[in-house]
Each structure stands twice: as structure tokens, then as C-alpha cells.
Amino acid sequence: MNVCAKIRGALIAFTLPLAFMNISHAQDQVPITIVINQSPWFAGFQTVVGQYQEKTGNTVSLDVNPFAGSLEKQRSAVRSKESPYDILIMNAGFFIEMYKGGFLSPLNDIDPNFALDKDLYTFDDSVYWDPSTNKIDAKTGKLMSVPINPFIPILHYRSDLYAEKGLKVPETWDDLLANAKALNNPPSMYGIVQRGARGTFDVTYDVLPYIWSYGGGLLKDQKAGDYSIIVNSPETKAGMEMYLKLAKEAGHPSTAGQTQANVLQNMATGKAGNIIAVLAASIFDDPNQSAVVDKVGFAPPPHAPGFQSSPGLGHWLGGIPKNIPGDRQKAALAFLNWFQSKDAQMAYAEAGSPPVSRAVLESDLGNQPKYRWMKALSKGLTTARLPFFIPESAQILAITELGFNQIISGQTTVNDGLNNMAKEMEKVMTAAGYKAPLLPDLKD
């Protein structure tokens, strides 16, 4: 099977039951089922689930789906009489929908003595929720979930070609543009391949590091309660124009059609000099999937001069549905408690998936070539931001996924596209009861 087929095959949906290994301990906890998305980090999660079963004898089944399919299954499950799933693996773009809807059991309602490990990242305090204020709040909120994966967009670059051409790891977008141009030799090599395809939380996620790092964004300051719409601000426009400049001058000829799988595939087959994507080291260093083994370096996304790198948190959280029996809730929490332990997190990292434990991510493991991605991820997490603090994210994303894709494909101008998105977002925010003032339209 060729590399392209392997990557496509790795992204199809399937349900995977894992048999328990140690019969003598099989009844310690009732069997549980986890609904999860297929992603570059899934293999590592699958590995630690297998280790959990071997060490405890407890049974875990994984229901694995594409991103959108997993989300729809979760939405359906929590609204049913009894959820078929015991742990929901929720993405940064949508977990608040589960919190505000009251669909999850606070973890201390299941076990008053449960505590999050002190070394775990809380990702902009996204594990906490205060139902009285409907806000993320570490001081007054309840512990709702356990971090599962710390994904943020990371620059992946061809370190061998950088060395060959004397290129430096870019700090700014202009640096990246210069490097991409130096490597650009289509169709055999594209200087950069960017995700531009419309999806559930696809092109928006990949555009955010550009527009945030120019001082723009979608909403001004959700965490502080300022919902002013800034998607059509001059700063957002500047970030969007840099994205387009990279695509035009050193990018893929059909950027608007590039999915995450396409982006990873281009790097794995040696056709991309740079990509900005969620961490995929396990793919690129696997000789069965990659033609660029040990040839990919990692760094935080670049930024505009005077600003900082601004990757969006695309992390994943494990939550327990309220509509399952108590014995299943306890079994689910037993797995999450084991998963957050340092030993499990070390095994997770050794299996090629980024850990959610700071103690592991910042350990000496990162000095080994195999784990060279750890320092880039650790540094990137210091300035990473949560994209949404409101449950209306799905409605906002329906607007931005279409709008950004139309701009990238040339169906509309930057000004018209951003202005149209602003007006549509204002309708959603106003209908939901927010004060969300608009900026004046961008003018040509």
C-alpha cells in the first residue's frame, strides 16, 4: 500500500472493540465505551487503552469516527434516554455546548475525592464550568472533564532542506514566506501547503493563527465578556491577506480544497516544504507511512512583527455523560484517573501522541530526536488560546467555515467576505442575547 493510501485509510471511520487481557481483574469495573475521533494522535490513545486493559483487566471499547461523525454521535447520545457512550472525547470547539446543556456529570459528583493531577494542563481553564454564570471559571466552576490531548497548530518544516539551503526556523510570517519561496518548485514541491477546505472546524482553525497574530480575530474578548465582532477589522484582514499571500506565492494551487488529510499527505510524500497543522510526528517518522522519516522539524507558528505566536487550542477533553448509570460513570472515571497518571502519560508520549502532562512534555524525553516535537509543543502552549468560550460556536463556525473558504477560493474578495461574515455573526450573537456591536464595513 502506498503512503497516500495508508493515510487515507487511517482516517476512515470504524468501531474497534478491545478485549481485556487479564481475566482475574475483569470485574473491577464494568465495561465502558469511548466515542472518539480518528486523528493523527489516535494510535497513541489506542495504545494506552490497551495498556489500561492489560494492567487492570477492565474492558474498554472504542467507537472511532471522523471528526463530524463523532460530534453528531455525542450530541445524539447525551439527548437520548441512556447514552451508549461512557466517555465523550470532546473538541475545543464544542465542549461548552456539552457543559452549558447540562449533559455531563461534574467529576466530583461521581467521586468527591477525585482531583485533577497537578501537572496536567487545564488549557485556558477549559476543564471548569460554573453553571450559575455559564462561564469557564477555575475559581467557582466545577471540574467537568480531564484533558486528553493538547493539540495546537504547529509549524512542520523540512529540516533537511532547511539545512541544505541554509534557512533559519521562521519567527515571522515574512520569514516563513521567504523560506517557502526558497523551497517552492511545483508540482514536485510546494513551499507550503495550507488547509483551506470547508468542514466542521477546519479552515477556521487553520486561519486563526494568522489573524490572531496580527491582532485580529472573530470576537474581541470572549473570556472578558466583550463580544464585539472583529472578524472584519483591519487586523483580521491583514492576517487573512498573509495567509493568501503564502498560498499565492509559494502554496498549493488548490489551497481551498486542501483538507487536513491532504495537508499531511503532501508532507508525508515529500511534496511540502512547510505545513502548519496539528502535530503529526507519529505519521512522519513512520517508514510505513512516510517518505520523510527524520526529516521534519517542529516550531510554534510564526507571528506578525510586534505580536506573539497565537495558535488556537484544538485540544480534546474527556467528559462523562449524565445519562448513564452510576456504575458506568465510576468505571469511566477510573479510566480517566488512570489516564492522567504520569506513567500513563509517559506511555502515551512514547506511543507518539503528545501528553497532557507538563511533567512529561517538559521532561528530558524531549532531548531525544524521536521526541524533538516536545519543545515546540511546550513553547506553543504558552501562548495558545481557546477559540470559543460560548456554546454558539457551531453556529459561528458554520458562517466562518463557508466565509473563509469562499475568500481562499476567490469566490469573494477579502473585504466582502469578512464584511459578510461579520453581519451573519451579528445575527447569531444578537439572537442568543449577546451585545455584539459591529465595526464599519471594510472598504476597498
Side-chain angles (χ1 to χ4, degrees):
M1 185 183 294
N2 63 30
V3 171
C4 299
K6 282 181 179 290
I7 293 176
R8 286 194 298 270
L11 294 171
I12 62 173
F14 63 101
T15 300
L16 177 66
L18 297 175
F20 59 79
M21 305 288 290
N22 187 336
I23 303 297
S24 64
H25 297 291
Q27 300 305 314
D28 285 355
Q29 300 290 344
V30 298
I32 62 170
T33 300
I34 302 173
V35 60
I36 189 171
N37 68 298
Q38 179 61 275
S39 70
W41 55 270
F42 172 72
F45 187 82
Q46 180 184 10
T47 296
V48 296
V49 167
Q51 290 188 16
Y52 173 72
Q53 294 183 116
E54 184 174 5
K55 292 177 183 297
T56 67
N58 298 323
T59 305
V60 180
S61 294
L62 298 176
D63 189 333
V64 191
N65 310 265
F67 184 104
S70 180
L71 175 61
E72 289 309 311
K73 283 190 173 183
Q74 291 179 39
R75 285 172 168 162
S76 176
V78 297
R79 291 171 171 84
S80 65
K81 183 177 180 181
E82 182 176 307
S83 170
Y85 308 115
D86 305 293
I87 296 178
L88 312 179
I89 306 299
M90 309 172 293
N91 181 256
F94 302 101
F95 70 90
I96 293 178
E97 174 184 331
M98 296 295 179
Y99 287 3
K100 187 175 181 181
F103 298 124
L104 303 180
S105 284
L107 301 185
N108 290 121
D109 286 0
I110 301 171
D111 179 357
N113 296 317
F114 178 79
L116 204 64
D117 187 277
K118 62 180 178 59
D119 288 321
L120 260 63
Y121 293 95
T122 60
F123 303 112
D124 228 346
D125 294 334
S126 56
V127 296
Y128 301 102
W129 182 253
D130 186 335
S132 66
T133 60
N134 282 328
K135 288 184 178 180
I136 291 172
D137 194 321
K139 293 181 179 179
T140 64
K142 297 182 178 182
L143 181 61
M144 302 298 296
S145 58
V146 171
I148 298 295
N149 192 278
F151 265 173
I152 58 173
I154 290 289
L155 174 66
H156 299 58
Y157 62 92
R158 282 290 299 277
S159 55
D160 60 324
L161 299 181
Y162 269 49
E164 180 182 310
K165 293 184 176 291
L167 304 177
K168 295 181 179 180
V169 178
E171 288 286 338
T172 68
W173 295 112
D174 287 328
D175 295 339
L176 177 58
L177 177 61
N179 289 355
K181 284 182 175 181
L183 300 180
N184 196 41
N185 185 29
S188 60
M189 168 70 71
Y190 304 113
I192 185 169
V193 179
Q194 300 150 287
R195 177 163 61 168
R198 176 187 177 190
T200 305
F201 190 11
D202 293 48
V203 61
T204 306
Y205 184 67
D206 282 34
V207 165
L208 284 175
Y210 292 84
I211 62 178
W212 275 345
S213 75
Y214 276 86
L218 304 180
L219 302 168
K220 190 169 183 179
D221 190 348
Q222 298 171 68
K223 197 170 188 179
D226 187 342
Y227 304 107
S228 301
I229 296 168
I230 61 168
V231 72
N232 63 330
S233 66
E235 293 81 6
T236 301
K237 179 181 178 180
M240 193 70 233
E241 288 180 333
M242 176 51 76
Y243 176 103
L244 295 172
K245 189 173 185 179
L246 276 158
K248 180 180 179 181
E249 297 184 14
H252 195 283
S254 58
T255 296
Q258 297 301 297
T259 64
Q260 175 175 267
N262 297 144
V263 172
L264 300 180
Q265 187 173 294
N266 273 281
M267 178 60 82
T269 55
K271 297 191 69 174
N274 299 273
I275 64 171
I276 296 175
V278 294
L279 193 65
S282 60
I283 291 175
F284 300 138
D285 283 351
D286 181 354
N288 295 313
Q289 301 187 69
S290 173
V292 292
V293 174
D294 298 330
K295 296 179 180 179
V296 179
F298 306 92
H303 54 86
F307 292 88
Q308 63 185 12
S309 177
S310 300
L313 283 167
H315 64 296
W316 297 83
L317 302 169
I320 300 174
K322 184 173 287 186
N323 60 335
I324 59 174
D327 58 345
R328 289 169 56 191
Q329 289 187 342
K330 290 178 180 178
L333 189 59
F335 171 79
L336 292 175
N337 190 41
W338 178 88
F339 179 80
Q340 71 169 351
S341 68
K342 186 174 181 179
D343 286 348
Q345 287 296 299
M346 187 66 74
Y348 196 33
E350 290 172 345
S353 294
V356 290
S357 170
R358 183 179 285 102
V360 176
L361 192 58
E362 297 179 356
S363 70
D364 291 340
L365 203 62
N367 295 325
Q368 300 180 29
K370 181 179 178 180
Y371 305 105
R372 62 194 182 280
W373 48 267
M374 284 189 168
K375 292 181 180 179
L377 180 58
S378 178
K379 184 177 180 181
L381 283 170
T382 63
T383 57
R385 300 164 57 180
L386 187 62
F388 293 103
F389 288 80
I390 57 174
E392 290 77 18
S393 58
Q395 295 165 271
I396 298 298
L397 284 167
I399 296 165
T400 59
E401 286 292 299
L402 175 61
F404 285 130
N405 178 258
Q406 288 179 329
I407 293 172
I408 294 165
S409 65
Q411 296 178 58
T412 187
T413 65
V414 175
N415 284 359
D416 287 347
L418 297 180
N419 288 335
N420 290 338
M421 278 190 274
K423 292 180 176 67
E424 292 301 312
M425 286 172 60
E426 192 269 343
K427 292 177 185 177
V428 169
M429 297 299 288
T430 299
Y434 298 97
K435 292 182 179 179
L438 282 169
L439 293 171
D441 278 355
L442 291 165
K443 304 293 184 181
D444 292 328

